[in-house]
Amino acid sequence: MSPVDSTGVNPDESLTPLALLAKADQAISSLEDVLADLVAEFAARDLPLYLVGGSVRDAILGRLGNDLDFTTPARPEMIKEILESWAGTVWDTGIDFGTVSAQHRGQQIEITTFRSDTYDGQSRNPEVVFGDTLEGDLVRRDFRINAMAVELLIDDRGSLTGRFHDPVGGLEDLEHKRLDTPDTPEISFHDDPLRMLRAARFVSHLGFGVADRVKEAMNDMSEQINRITVERIQLELNKLMEGAAPWTGMNLLVNTGIAAHVFPEIPAMRDMKDEHHQHKDVYAHSMQVLRQAIEQEEDGPDLVLRWAALLHDCGKPQTRAFNDDGRVTFHHHEVVGAKLIRRRLRELKYSKQMVADISQLVYLHMRFYGFGEGQWTDSAVRRYVTDAGPLLPRLHKLVRADSTTRNQRKAARLQRTYDHLEDRIAEIAEREDLARVRPDLDGNEIMVILDMPPGPAVGRAWTFLKELRLERGPLEREEAIAELRTWWEAEQSQDKS
């Protein structure tokens, strides 16, 4: 790859780190079988094609995926024509914005006409304006590390090669693991405030720091994030939480005041001392729980577990109180926290399932602490498993992650106690179906036995039998019928009195 940038800098004078470019060379070479024909199609029409943005960044970092972004001076209709002759699948849902996409041999391709958009300063929606220069397209991008391009070429031997373009110094930022904007951050964030959330997302995923001027602008302009729709905010928050170190991105949002606008329950934990004085504050404890929850993941990022770990103590600010000896307490913070989470996640338009799962994990995370080692009765185990339902594996991980004490003896005791609980669950599961604890009689049987029509009384009877099943385990049919009749006689006597 030739280290020539679009500003005309002499290659010999370039500050480009050759080791980083070598990684990009390797990535582009690996794409030759997929892309050579596409590049040739553009070249036959005297049209350049550039790998651009995050794809170049990831190629240089050695982490290029199967979703590639390109730019070209060709207009959308021409891009579509070329792609339709090259790929098996083409879709043009973004053609009004200059984007046409395709799928070819397992590679997803997105090609966009050069853009030189203008913004109205009220929303993040630009007035789409097609551009004529690569540099004009690159300088309008969010961060310098995303403002690099590789012009794809076919050399004299017919091999795929590339020419590097870096008009704003993105490679230097990559070398120093730094996030900075092509224009001033004030202009960049005014054009699109979502870029402030994207900064936090890149911190989480890439482990980069943020330039001082970017951080200052985020702090000064934090309320501008309110121009962004909740759907876009939710999407960026999820991407942040899926990063390798989501606590770093969340710290940036909290420290710049942006979190106070998008998820105020998170920064509210920052100044809350916990009852054991083991952490600077509840926020720091929650970040440690998040780290420890991630360490237990088995198949990649688990958003439900990560959100529950971060938010499990968000009810503490509203439940703080002091007992007679002056110690701080947070009684029932799990109940309050679950309510806060349901409300916030609904406002952010999370799915009903996500809202239910995250809030239920928060609600249940203190249940374990109500029992000491060896004190888990069969009934308590059944209720724990039933209330957790399919969330039980995540609840195990959350409760274990919630142990952040520096006292090694106490930490070992907590883990040993939870080991005992899991052993008790396995022991009872061998005798009975804990995954589906249901009454020993169903609704139809209840109506026949008690000779009653459908109605609320059937529901009450079913609930009674469910509680009986949780308390005593499976009953023989005749025993269940006898208990049902006894309960119903008591109900009728109470109604008459």
Side-chain angles (χ1 to χ4, degrees):
M1 182 186 299
S2 304
V4 177
D5 70 15
S6 58
T7 61
V9 174
N10 187 308
D12 295 333
E13 297 173 353
S14 173
L15 299 178
T16 301
L18 295 181
L20 290 177
L21 286 179
K23 291 184 178 181
D25 269 333
Q26 293 171 3
I28 290 170
S29 296
S30 71
L31 296 171
E32 182 168 351
D33 290 345
V34 179
L35 296 179
D37 291 345
L38 179 62
V39 174
E41 290 285 345
F42 275 83
R45 295 167 174 79
D46 292 324
L47 291 169
L49 182 65
Y50 303 89
L51 188 69
V52 72
S55 294
V56 176
R57 176 199 72 221
D58 289 344
I60 293 173
L61 293 174
R63 47 186 287 171
L64 187 62
N66 294 322
D67 191 354
L68 304 179
D69 294 326
F70 298 87
T71 189
T72 178
R75 288 326 191 229
E77 294 75 15
M78 177 60 71
I79 298 173
K80 183 179 179 183
E81 177 185 318
I82 294 173
L83 286 178
E84 286 178 339
S85 68
W86 173 76
T89 304
V90 177
W91 57 97
D92 62 0
T93 52
I95 197 166
D96 291 341
F97 301 95
T99 299
V100 184
S101 304
Q103 182 114 12
H104 183 64
R105 298 176 63 179
Q107 202 80 44
Q108 186 165 315
I109 307 294
E110 185 171 283
I111 305 178
T112 302
T113 302
F114 286 167
R115 298 263 292 268
S116 58
D117 302 339
T118 58
Y119 293 81
D120 60 14
Q122 301 302 314
S123 69
R124 67 175 295 265
N125 300 318
E127 178 186 349
V128 177
V129 179
F130 296 139
D132 296 308
T133 68
L134 175 65
E135 183 174 351
D137 181 89
L138 295 178
V139 297
R140 54 170 282 278
R141 294 176 179 262
D142 53 2
F143 298 101
R144 298 198 301 216
I145 62 170
N146 296 328
M148 298 177 287
V150 174
E151 184 177 2
L152 298 180
L153 304 165
I154 304 296
D155 65 18
D156 295 339
R157 296 171 298 175
S159 299
L160 186 66
T161 185
R163 182 181 296 124
F164 186 65
H165 297 260
D166 184 16
V168 296
L171 194 60
E172 183 180 353
D173 280 359
L174 272 186
E175 181 186 13
H176 293 94
K177 297 185 176 180
R178 175 179 61 217
L179 278 178
D180 204 349
T181 52
D183 210 328
T184 66
E186 289 79 9
I187 292 175
S188 182
F189 297 155
H190 183 265
D191 285 347
D192 185 359
L194 188 68
R195 291 169 174 169
M196 296 188 288
L197 283 181
R198 285 171 62 84
R201 188 234 295 186
F202 289 131
V203 166
S204 169
H205 279 260
L206 301 176
F208 285 14
V210 177
D212 288 342
R213 68 173 191 158
V214 171
K215 191 178 299 184
E216 290 171 6
M218 290 175 68
N219 187 75
D220 294 341
M221 303 176 68
S222 61
E223 66 180 23
Q224 292 287 315
I225 202 65
N226 294 314
R227 289 165 46 196
I228 305 301
T229 65
V230 292
E231 291 85 354
R232 290 299 302 172
I233 289 173
Q234 181 216 121
L235 182 62
E236 285 299 325
L237 288 176
N238 283 344
K239 289 179 178 179
L240 182 160
M241 290 294 288
E242 289 174 334
W247 51 88
T248 59
M250 194 59 69
N251 284 340
L252 179 61
L253 294 183
V254 169
N255 292 335
T256 56
I258 294 172
H261 294 282
V262 299
F263 214 129
E265 291 78 9
I266 296 174
M269 296 186 287
R270 184 167 52 175
D271 299 321
M272 297 295 300
K273 301 292 184 185
D274 74 5
E275 62 268 43
H276 305 298
H277 303 284
Q278 297 295 316
H279 302 274
K280 177 182 178 183
D281 51 40
V282 174
Y283 176 82
H285 162 73
S286 298
M287 289 300 177
Q288 181 62 24
V289 173
L290 174 58
R291 290 187 186 91
Q292 294 179 175
I294 289 174
E295 291 172 358
Q296 299 179 70
E297 290 177 337
E298 300 163 8
D299 300 310
D302 182 341
L303 266 179
V304 170
L305 176 63
R306 291 186 178 201
W307 275 118
L310 175 60
L311 300 171
H312 73 287
D313 277 347
C314 74
K316 284 189 172 181
Q318 289 194 15
T319 57
R320 182 172 65 169
F322 296 90
N323 58 23
D324 293 340
D325 62 5
R327 289 173 61 85
V328 65
T329 63
F330 302 103
H331 294 309
H332 305 301
H333 70 273
E334 71 279 13
V335 179
V336 173
K339 291 180 180 178
L340 290 174
I341 289 166
R342 283 195 293 271
R343 183 178 65 192
R344 180 60 54 197
L345 295 182
R346 285 168 182 161
E347 289 182 359
L348 289 170
K349 303 294 182 67
Y350 276 81
S351 69
K352 290 182 179 179
Q353 192 65 56
M354 284 280 284
V355 173
D357 288 351
I358 296 169
S359 61
Q360 183 70 352
L361 283 172
V362 171
Y363 177 75
L364 292 174
H365 85 275
M366 290 298 294
R367 182 78 62 86
F368 162 73
Y369 296 98
F371 296 86
E373 189 171 4
Q375 296 179 2
W376 283 88
T377 64
D378 288 2
S379 173
V381 171
R382 291 188 195 101
R383 293 178 188 279
Y384 192 80
V385 173
T386 299
D387 289 347
L391 293 173
L392 185 62
R394 287 183 172 121
L395 183 59
H396 289 333
K397 295 173 183 176
L398 176 60
V399 175
R400 289 186 181 279
D402 195 23
S403 174
T404 61
T405 176
R406 296 186 183 94
N407 184 321
Q408 294 301 312
R409 181 175 298 178
K410 181 179 180 181
R413 177 172 56 80
L414 288 171
Q415 295 299 332
R416 185 175 63 250
T417 302
Y418 206 85
D419 288 342
H420 174 70
L421 170 58
E422 291 203 61
D423 289 342
R424 294 280 291 116
I425 292 173
E427 173 191 328
I428 296 175
E430 288 185 1
R431 304 197 308 261
E432 53 189 87
D433 185 5
L434 279 181
R436 295 184 61 191
V437 175
R438 300 181 62 81
D440 296 288
L441 304 170
D442 63 25
N444 290 327
E445 291 174 303
I446 291 171
M447 288 187 288
V448 171
I449 293 167
L450 299 182
D451 189 23
M452 64 168 57
V458 178
R460 295 200 307 274
W462 190 94
T463 300
F464 162 74
L465 290 172
K466 173 68 176 293
E467 287 297 312
L468 192 65
R469 170 71 172 77
L470 288 169
E471 188 66 30
R472 291 165 50 180
L475 301 178
E476 295 293 337
R477 178 177 174 78
E478 293 306 316
E479 185 180 3
I481 291 174
E483 291 287 353
L484 175 63
R485 292 187 187 280
T486 300
W487 170 83
W488 182 235
E489 290 174 4
E491 284 281 298
Q492 291 179 310
S493 297
Q494 187 174 355
D495 290 340
K496 291 177 181 179
S497 61

